[in-house]
């Protein structure tokens, strides 16, 4: 931006991301980078052979065998999902970032050719996702152009022939990014969190219980940091 170059960023949302992870394909990918065999066996035993059924009122459906999906957890599910999509960047010439189920691709834009290349890489990403049994959700994906130019052309990126919505700001990994990289919104957001934490501490301190006060301070600091 200091050099007067804009950057187009596309934040990708995958439809039912964790639910579409194919067990056998995940095990194959987990084995290929040289992961310890005992870990591969543990993951296989953890995932393969799971069954589920649905209760409606007092009635239970028949059991159905699960061939895809990782159980929701704070650590294991995102980690297994990363293993599953770790090779999705191949043949994509733009920069790409993966964090859990968050995926972004971005490229410096100086002319129409850069826009066309980013669109082609978006198409490639969609094809690679389809190979893995996944699908990009254009309705929940977002496109942003980071630039200080006063006049901005409308963005028109579209995987699967459905246009991605354009936005002027986006909260990515709890950081509010604005198209001109102004940090006012993010500073206000952090200040608001800090004020809520401070008020919680003040309420506990007024009760005069030192142990509760220290616990409130620790909890408030933890919420502010994460």
């Amino acid at each position: 931006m200091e050099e007067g170059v804009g950057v187009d960023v596309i934040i990708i949302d995958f439809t039912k991301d964790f639910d579409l992870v194919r067990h056998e394909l995940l095990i194959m990918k987990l084995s290929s980078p040289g992961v310890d065999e005992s870990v591969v066996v543990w993951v296989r035993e953890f995932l393969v052979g799971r069954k589920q059924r649905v209760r409606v009122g007092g009635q239970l459906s028949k059991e159905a065998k699960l061939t895809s999906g990782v159980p929701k957890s704070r650590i294991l599910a995102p980690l297994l999902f990363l293993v599953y999509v770790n090779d999705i960047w191949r043949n994509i010439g733009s920069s790409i970032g993966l964090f859990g189920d968050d995926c972004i691709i971005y490229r410096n834009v100086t002319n129409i050719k850069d826009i066309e290349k980013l669109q082609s890489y978006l198409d490639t990403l969609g094809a690679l996702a389809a190979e893995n049994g996944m699908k990009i959700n254009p309705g929940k994906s977002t496109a942003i152009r980071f630039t200080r130019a006063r006049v901005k052309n409308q963005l028109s990126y579209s995987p699967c022939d459905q246009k991605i919505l354009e936005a002027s700001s986006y909260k990515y990994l709890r950081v509010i990014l604005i198209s001109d990289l102004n940090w006012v919104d993010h500073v206000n957001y952090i200040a608001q969190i800090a004020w809520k934490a401070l008020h919680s501490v003040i309420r506990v301190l007024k009760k005069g219980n030192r142990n509760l006060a220290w616990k409130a301070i620790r909890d408030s600091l933890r919420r502010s940091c994460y």
Side-chain angles (χ1 to χ4, degrees), residues 12-193:
I12 303 296
D13 181 88
F14 292 108
T15 302
K16 298 181 179 180
D17 41 23
F18 289 175
D19 296 332
L20 297 179
V21 174
R22 296 176 181 173
H23 294 165
E24 293 300 332
L25 184 56
L26 172 62
I27 297 302
M28 183 181 69
K29 291 186 177 186
L30 193 62
S31 304
S32 58
V35 176
D36 188 278
E37 181 61 26
S38 60
V39 176
V40 178
V41 171
W42 185 90
V43 173
R44 181 185 294 111
E45 294 296 323
F46 179 68
L47 292 178
V48 178
R50 283 179 172 266
K51 297 179 180 180
Q52 71 175 16
R53 54 184 180 175
V54 178
R55 179 190 297 274
V56 179
Q59 300 295 319
L60 282 174
S61 69
K62 294 181 179 180
E63 288 187 340
K65 185 178 180 181
L66 298 179
T67 59
S68 64
V70 290
K72 301 295 191 299
S73 68
R74 294 178 64 88
I75 298 176
L76 188 58
L79 182 61
L80 293 177
F81 183 78
L82 271 180
V83 172
Y84 193 72
V85 301
N86 191 49
D87 59 350
I88 207 169
W89 51 266
R90 69 182 189 274
N91 299 325
I92 295 180
S94 67
S95 299
I96 185 169
L98 294 170
F99 187 88
D101 57 343
D102 291 303
C103 175
I104 64 171
I105 60 173
Y106 52 98
R107 182 181 177 86
N108 288 358
V109 173
T110 57
N111 51 51
I112 188 63
K113 290 185 178 180
D114 291 323
I115 296 175
E116 293 173 350
K117 285 182 179 179
L118 186 56
Q119 175 62 56
S120 69
Y121 297 141
L122 181 60
D123 294 336
T124 301
L125 182 64
L128 293 173
E131 286 181 16
N132 289 272
M134 302 172 65
K135 184 179 179 181
I136 294 176
N137 184 350
K140 292 187 177 180
S141 300
T142 306
I144 303 177
R145 173 167 294 166
F146 291 95
T147 177
R148 290 197 176 100
R150 294 183 178 180
V151 179
K152 302 177 183 178
N153 296 326
Q154 188 175 9
L155 302 183
S156 183
Y157 294 105
S158 54
C160 311
D161 298 325
Q162 184 176 345
K163 184 179 177 181
I164 290 178
L165 296 178
E166 182 180 357
S168 59
S169 66
Y170 189 84
K171 186 190 291 185
Y172 181 69
L173 303 180
R174 296 199 177 185
V175 177
I176 298 178
L177 302 171
I178 304 178
S179 59
D180 62 355
L181 288 188
N182 185 306
W183 295 103
V184 172
D185 286 357
H186 182 69
V187 171
N188 290 337
Y189 166 68
I190 296 298
Q192 185 179 20
I193 294 176

